[in-house]
Amino acid sequence: MKGRLSVEGLGKAYRFYPSRWARLAEWLLPGEPRHELQWVLRDISFTATPGESIGIIGREGAGKSTLLKLITGTTKPSEGEVRMSGRVAALLELGM
């Protein structure tokens, strides 16, 4: 189907280091990780068909902008996938 957006099992995690020294130690002394994963999105799935609009709402820090970055390919997901055919326009309205 032309113009379809499919998001399956999408997730994004960032590395959290307890200190800058832990980050440096992980780079210089490879072996065991010195970070924890902080998940900002996990197990997001939906499909949008041509002509359909989807609104993403949530509190500050809920992952709305991260989701849009994953969909547009600005950021790579930690898990899951985004499949897109055709064009998808993302409109971000701040202060609503």
Side-chain angles (χ1 to χ4, degrees):
M1 180 179 283
K2 189 175 182 179
R4 183 182 178 124
L5 170 65
S6 177
V7 173
E8 294 182 19
L10 198 63
K12 181 64 179 174
Y14 292 100
R15 291 180 180 182
F16 173 76
Y17 293 91
S19 71
R20 69 176 113 168
W21 304 114
R23 180 187 304 257
L24 182 63
E26 188 172 279
W27 288 342
L28 296 176
L29 306 168
E32 73 180 65
R34 291 172 164 78
H35 68 270
E36 293 181 19
L37 290 180
Q38 295 288 332
W39 289 92
V40 293
L41 291 174
R42 197 115 199 232
D43 197 28
I44 306 292
S45 299
F46 64 89
T47 301
T49 56
E52 190 174 13
S53 296
I54 296 176
I56 304 168
I57 59 173
R59 295 181 180 173
E60 185 178 341
K64 303 175 297 293
S65 296
T66 301
L67 178 58
L68 288 175
K69 288 176 186 177
L70 292 168
I71 291 170
T72 59
T74 305
T75 301
K76 289 188 174 189
S78 301
E79 64 183 14
E81 66 180 345
V82 176
R83 284 181 286 185
M84 191 176 347
S85 62
R87 278 185 4 180
V88 174
L91 176 64
L92 182 60
E93 181 66 38
L94 300 174
M96 289 298 289

